[in-house]
Amino acid sequence: MKIAIVTDSLTNLREEDLQKYPFIYYAHLNVVVDDKSYIDLKEITNDQLFRFIDEGASYSSSLPSPEVFVTLYEKLLAEYDAIISLHCTENVSGTVNSARIARDTIEGAKEKITVIDTNTASIGVENIVIKVCELLEQGKSLDELLEVIEYYRTHGQLYLTINDLTTLVRTGRISKTASRIGNLLHIKPIIGFKDAKLEVMSKVRTKKRLLKWMLERLRHDIEQSGKQVVRITHVNSIDLATELKHALEICGDKVDVFISNEISSVMAIHFGRGGVGASWMPANYSV
């Protein structure tokens, strides 16, 4: 059976992985600046986005419409027997719902297209996508792949730091007063997923404490489920991402650590510049 993997631009896979797995396809979100729409990953970079923001531009994001997915799915069904469509949790983005509407629109597609809310986002989805691609190349069946995906939907972690708290004010997560106090005291919240919803997991004031917190969490999960595959992303902060990689590699052969692409511009709108994130999941699964 020939299977295609679809994801969205929030995942922002590395070019080397896209080259290695040519059966991966994107549905792109959009960045809207002063009412002009830019295709995420294609027509705007984070440097350009923050330049617009610094100049006082208004900005937002928009989802790929169901019609975008219909066009993509119909094209792929002419070449592939089945499609696995892996997307960011609906608690962060409505993209997965656009994919579901598209699948239901195409006659006979429900048996050929599986749309999955991964319960994670960004590099968390990337981890699952790459694992599925590896297993697909090993000859795993569609049913086996879906079992593995279900396992990883509940066995992965994703943590993101917010460098500028004014970003959280704009998204309604904290008050302006809390933002001013937090920025003044250099408090950096660590955002994570609990029951597929974003929550503040901890607050740190120094880079050293951030690295220590991440390492402690990773070590805990290694004790619980063995070797972990770790992916790191950032927003205009490659130096901090590299430091985090080195800090986590203290775990030795119990981890494989990769620095992924910078977070997509749509994600950067909501998390601001200067942040860093890490996602990990067990290297081996049990289904």
Side-chain angles (χ1 to χ4, degrees), residues 38-251:
Y38 300 85
I39 300 174
D40 195 24
L41 303 186
K42 283 187 172 183
E43 297 179 343
I44 189 168
T45 66
N46 286 347
D47 285 341
Q48 291 170 326
L49 170 65
F50 290 121
R51 191 178 309 123
F52 285 137
I53 292 173
D54 290 341
E55 292 170 354
S58 63
Y59 56 97
S60 61
S61 61
S62 65
L63 306 175
S65 67
E67 290 74 22
V68 168
F69 277 104
V70 167
T71 299
L72 177 58
Y73 288 158
E74 288 182 336
K75 177 182 177 181
L76 294 179
L77 287 175
E79 181 181 353
Y80 293 88
D81 301 307
I83 298 169
I84 301 176
S85 205
L86 297 162
H87 301 286
C88 171
T89 172
E90 63 184 353
N91 293 315
V92 170
S93 170
T95 300
V96 68
N97 291 321
S98 288
R100 289 168 177 153
I101 292 170
R103 175 203 57 199
D104 294 344
T105 300
I106 302 171
E107 185 176 354
K110 283 190 176 181
E111 296 179 355
K112 298 179 179 180
I113 302 173
T114 304
V115 178
I116 298 174
D117 179 334
T118 60
N119 281 345
T120 185
S122 184
I123 45 175
V125 183
E126 179 182 357
N127 246 342
I128 295 175
V129 167
I130 297 304
K131 187 67 174 183
V132 170
C133 290
E134 291 171 351
L135 296 175
L136 186 53
E137 289 212 324
Q138 293 173 19
K140 298 295 184 182
S141 69
L142 177 60
D143 287 343
E144 288 173 317
L145 293 175
L146 296 180
E147 286 182 350
V148 171
I149 293 168
E150 187 59 32
Y151 172 82
Y152 282 120
R153 289 181 73 246
T154 57
H155 288 79
Q157 307 294 340
L158 172 62
Y159 301 110
L160 299 161
T161 63
I162 307 297
N163 191 55
D164 184 355
L165 299 187
T166 54
T167 302
L168 293 182
V169 174
R170 189 177 183 280
T171 56
R173 297 192 180 278
I174 63 173
S175 68
K176 289 183 179 179
T177 300
S179 168
R180 285 194 291 267
I181 294 173
N183 282 332
L184 183 64
L185 297 177
H186 304 291
I187 294 173
K188 305 293 187 289
I190 300 173
I191 308 296
F193 280 95
K194 185 175 182 180
D195 299 325
K197 295 181 180 179
L198 281 174
E199 292 190 6
V200 177
M201 310 299 289
S202 185
K203 299 174 184 177
V204 296
R205 293 184 61 180
T206 66
K207 178 173 63 178
K208 183 178 180 180
R209 288 186 180 275
L210 165 65
L211 300 179
K212 180 182 178 183
W213 189 93
M214 289 280 196
L215 179 58
E216 288 175 349
R217 282 299 179 109
L218 177 59
R219 281 175 165 162
H220 173 269
D221 288 331
I222 289 172
E223 290 178 2
Q224 295 295 312
S225 51
K227 183 176 180 178
Q228 303 287 310
V229 178
V230 184
R231 298 187 190 277
I232 295 170
T233 189
H234 64 95
V235 188
N236 295 144
S237 192
I238 185 61
D239 290 343
L240 180 55
T242 302
E243 286 189 63
L244 178 57
K245 180 177 187 289
H246 292 158
L248 300 184
E249 285 178 332
I250 290 174
C251 296

Side-chain angles (χ1 to χ4, degrees), residues 13-52:
L13 295 160
R14 299 181 303 171
E15 183 60 32
E16 61 196 86
D17 290 322
L18 292 173
Q19 294 291 331
K20 185 176 182 180
Y21 305 115
F23 46 84
I24 299 175
Y25 298 87
Y26 272 133
H28 292 267
L29 285 80
N30 301 283
V31 176
V32 182
V33 180
D34 286 341
D35 297 323
K36 181 177 179 180
S37 184
Y38 300 85
I39 300 174
D40 195 24
L41 303 186
K42 283 187 172 183
E43 297 179 343
I44 189 168
T45 66
N46 286 347
D47 285 341
Q48 291 170 326
L49 170 65
F50 290 121
R51 191 178 309 123
F52 285 137

